[in-house]
Amino acid sequence: MNNDVMKVLLSGEEIEKRVSEIAAEITEDYAGESVLMVGILRGAVVFFSELVKRVDLDLRFDFMVVSSYGSGTDSSGEIRIIKDLSQPIEGMNVIIVEDIIDTGYTLKNLKRLLLTRNPKSLKICSLLDKPSRRKVELEGDYIGFKVPNEFVVGYGLDYNEKYRNLPDICVLKPEIYS
Ligand code: IMP
Ligand code: MG
C-alpha cells in the first residue's frame, strides 16, 4: 500500500501534536460543561479517537453515517443520513467531529439538520480543511490543518474505501486515481 503513496503531506506525529492543541482548546472552551462528541463515520474515526483521549471534560460519544460522495472524488451536493444519532440532543453542547471540509455541503446540511433539534450549542471540529474547494459558506470552529487542493488519504480518509489505515495524511500517485 505504501507503494501507492506519492508523498506524505502530514505525518502522524505532526497530526497528533496538533490534535493535542485542539483538545486543549476544547477542554478550555467548555470548562465545567458536558459535551456530546459526534463522530462522522467512517472518515473521522481515527481523528475522533485520538482527540477524545486528550479532552478533559464530561464527554459522551455518538456517531452518524452521512453520505455526500459516491465512490471516487466528486461531491454530489446532497447528503443522505444513513445512520442518525441514537439520542436527542436538545439542550446539549454538541461538537461534530469530521475528517475534512471540502465543498462544505456535508457539514452545511448536517449543521442545519442538527440545529432543528435545539442543541445548547453546535460546533464543528475538522481535522482537515480544503478552503479552495468550498462551494457553500461554511466554516469549522476547530481546524487541524488547511490542506491544498489535492485528494488526500490516510488517518481515516479513504479513496474508494482504501488507505484509511495509513498512519499519515498522504497524496497517492496519479495513476491510482485514474
Ligand atoms: P464535502 O461535503 O464536499 O465538504 O465533503 C466532505 C467529505 O468528502 C469528507 O467527509 C470526505 O469523506 C470526502 N472528502 C473530501 N475531500 C477528500 C479528500 O481529499 N480525501 C478523502 N476524502 C475526501
Ligand atoms: Mg469519504
Side-chain angles (χ1 to χ4, degrees):
M1 225 172 43
N2 275 312
N3 281 336
D4 296 352
V5 170
M6 183 175 75
K7 64 176 175 197
V8 171
L9 213 59
L10 299 160
S11 71
E13 207 181 326
E14 239 176 299
I15 295 169
E16 268 141 50
K17 215 175 122 216
R18 180 72 189 122
V19 171
S20 296
E21 291 172 3
I22 296 173
E25 241 185 280
I26 291 175
T27 301
E28 194 182 311
D29 291 353
Y30 291 87
E33 304 261 337
S34 355
V35 174
L36 178 72
M37 298 289 247
V38 174
I40 307 303
L41 300 177
R42 296 169 293 275
V45 173
V46 179
F47 174 47
F48 185 95
S49 56
E50 291 300 327
L51 181 68
V52 294
K53 288 189 282 182
R54 296 167 167 89
V55 174
D56 184 13
L57 291 171
D58 172 23
L59 275 198
R60 268 140 245 247
F61 298 174
D62 208 338
F63 298 94
M64 291 182 86
V65 180
V66 180
S67 138
S68 70
Y69 276 32
S71 58
T73 60
D74 275 320
S75 180
S76 70
E78 270 176 47
I79 61 161
R80 270 189 311 147
I81 304 296
I82 295 162
K83 185 220 166 286
D84 205 338
L85 295 172
S86 47
Q87 58 196 298
I89 55 168
E90 183 161 359
M92 300 179 84
N93 295 305
V94 176
I95 302 179
I96 302 172
V97 181
E98 176 59 305
D99 54 359
I100 186 166
I101 313 177
D102 187 39
T103 62
Y105 283 127
T106 307
L107 285 173
K108 178 122 189 167
N109 286 309
L110 187 58
K111 206 173 165 183
R112 187 190 304 133
L113 170 74
L114 295 186
L115 281 173
T116 65
R117 301 180 187 179
N118 301 316
K120 179 175 177 187
S121 65
L122 180 63
K123 283 192 183 179
I124 289 170
C125 175
S126 182
L127 174 61
L128 303 177
D129 186 8
K130 241 192 246 177
S132 61
R133 289 257 309 166
R134 204 72 95 251
K135 296 223 171 81
V136 288
E137 210 176 296
L138 189 275
E139 270 193 57
D141 301 284
Y142 304 98
I143 297 293
F145 301 90
K146 290 204 159 98
V147 291
N149 185 11
E150 284 183 287
F151 198 83
V152 293
V153 298
Y155 216 86
L157 290 98
D158 73 303
Y159 175 62
N160 286 344
E161 293 307 323
K162 277 179 66 179
Y163 308 105
R164 292 193 193 276
N165 57 322
L166 291 178
D168 311 305
I169 298 278
C170 305
V171 179
L172 298 174
K173 290 175 180 162
E175 60 263 32
I176 309 289
Y177 297 118
S178 51

